[in-house]
Amino acid sequence: MLIKIKNVTKSYQLNKEKVHVLRGIDFEVASGDWLTITGPSGSGKTTLLKVLSGIEQPDEGSIMIGDFHISEGSEEERRNFRRDNIGYIFQDFQLFEQFNLLLNVMIPLLPYEKKEQIEKKAKEILANVNLSHREKHRPAMVSGGEKQRTAIARSLINRPTYCFVMSQQEI
Ligand SMILES: Nc1ncnc2c1ncn2[C@@H]1O[C@H](COP(=O)(O)OP(=O)(O)OP(=O)(O)O)[C@@H](O)[C@H]1O
Ligand SMILES: [Mg+2]
């Protein structure tokens, strides 16, 4: 099984109020599965993806991705795991406005590989999402769909091992 989620709960403390978002989530995902999570706005989809990818920790329960207990790892272990294994597309894309699209796609690998090598990979992926002609544009100068495809390209540059790309938009 690729992903195993058992009895995961997560709540946020907002001033005196506790917002219970995830209550006892259980499911498994097999390799090659394509899973769609749907639900009303505010129902907890983003929260689920955040705990699944280790951006946030659940209050209770366990999450295994492959052999890794992501719900138990330290912040650094979770970050490293995410970097090496997960492609994540943020709901609001989180592109760096001051950088062009090419650099935005290169960012995840910048600390780890030679710049020329990263640039080559980023250009290939941008070509695959039909954005070669927009490499030098900044996010403010491209369309919503082009931003979205840039975020997809960036999520793929580390060639995620488990290849699950989390997206919260219609692709
Ligand atoms: N950091 C936070 N602090 C307090 N409450 C939060 C926090 N993040 C999310 N929430 C609350 O948790 C609930 C679930 O939010 P979440 O972002 O997971 O919803 P969603 O299903 O992704 O919604 P949408 O479809 O609008 O993206 C919401 O009611 C939200 O207000
Ligand atoms: Mg959301």
Side-chain angles (χ1 to χ4, degrees):
M1 205 51 68
L2 187 66
I3 303 174
K4 264 192 199 171
I5 293 206
K6 267 198 204 141
N7 201 25
V8 162
T9 62
K10 175 81 184 169
S11 52
Y12 292 109
Q13 191 73 39
L14 202 60
N15 303 321
K16 281 181 191 148
E17 198 195 343
K18 206 164 194 192
V19 185
H20 294 278
V21 184
L22 306 178
R23 308 169 198 232
I25 305 282
D26 282 292
F27 66 86
E28 296 187 348
V29 185
S31 184
D33 276 0
W34 177 276
L35 178 71
T36 306
I37 299 164
T38 60
S41 181
S43 61
K45 303 178 297 291
T46 293
T47 307
L48 178 61
L49 292 192
K50 282 183 178 166
V51 296
L52 196 52
S53 58
I55 293 172
E56 303 242 16
Q57 274 186 308
D59 299 334
E60 295 169 59
S62 81
I63 302 172
M64 287 278 291
I65 300 180
D67 300 331
F68 185 61
H69 250 293
I70 196 155
S71 49
E72 290 177 7
S74 68
E75 194 173 342
E76 192 185 354
E77 284 166 343
R78 285 182 278 131
R79 195 183 322 121
N80 291 344
F81 182 82
R82 197 161 55 247
R83 180 195 67 207
D84 295 337
N85 300 286
I86 297 178
Y88 193 101
I89 304 167
F90 292 92
Q91 184 163 17
D92 54 0
F93 308 139
Q94 304 253 357
L95 298 175
F96 290 89
E97 292 295 333
Q98 66 272 41
F99 300 144
N100 65 32
L101 301 194
L102 182 63
L103 197 51
N104 265 285
V105 173
M106 290 169 63
I107 277 172
L109 292 183
L110 280 178
Y112 309 107
E113 293 180 21
K114 285 210 180 95
K115 203 168 166 220
E116 303 77 60
Q117 203 179 326
I118 306 170
E119 193 169 306
K120 190 164 168 271
K121 288 184 186 175
K123 286 188 171 203
E124 264 173 38
I125 299 177
L126 278 170
N128 286 339
V129 295
N130 291 326
L131 278 176
S132 296
H133 60 308
R134 294 285 182 263
E135 281 177 3
K136 295 286 184 275
H137 283 60
R138 290 191 196 167
M141 302 165 191
V142 299
S143 71
E146 288 171 334
K147 279 191 203 128
Q148 182 177 38
R149 299 207 303 286
T150 305
I152 294 169
R154 185 179 60 185
S155 75
L156 293 173
I157 194 154
N158 64 344
R159 304 220 171 259
T161 315
Y162 298 108
C163 222
F164 57 89
V165 173
M166 297 180 173
S167 163
Q168 310 192 32
Q169 304 288 324
E170 62 279 18
I171 295 178

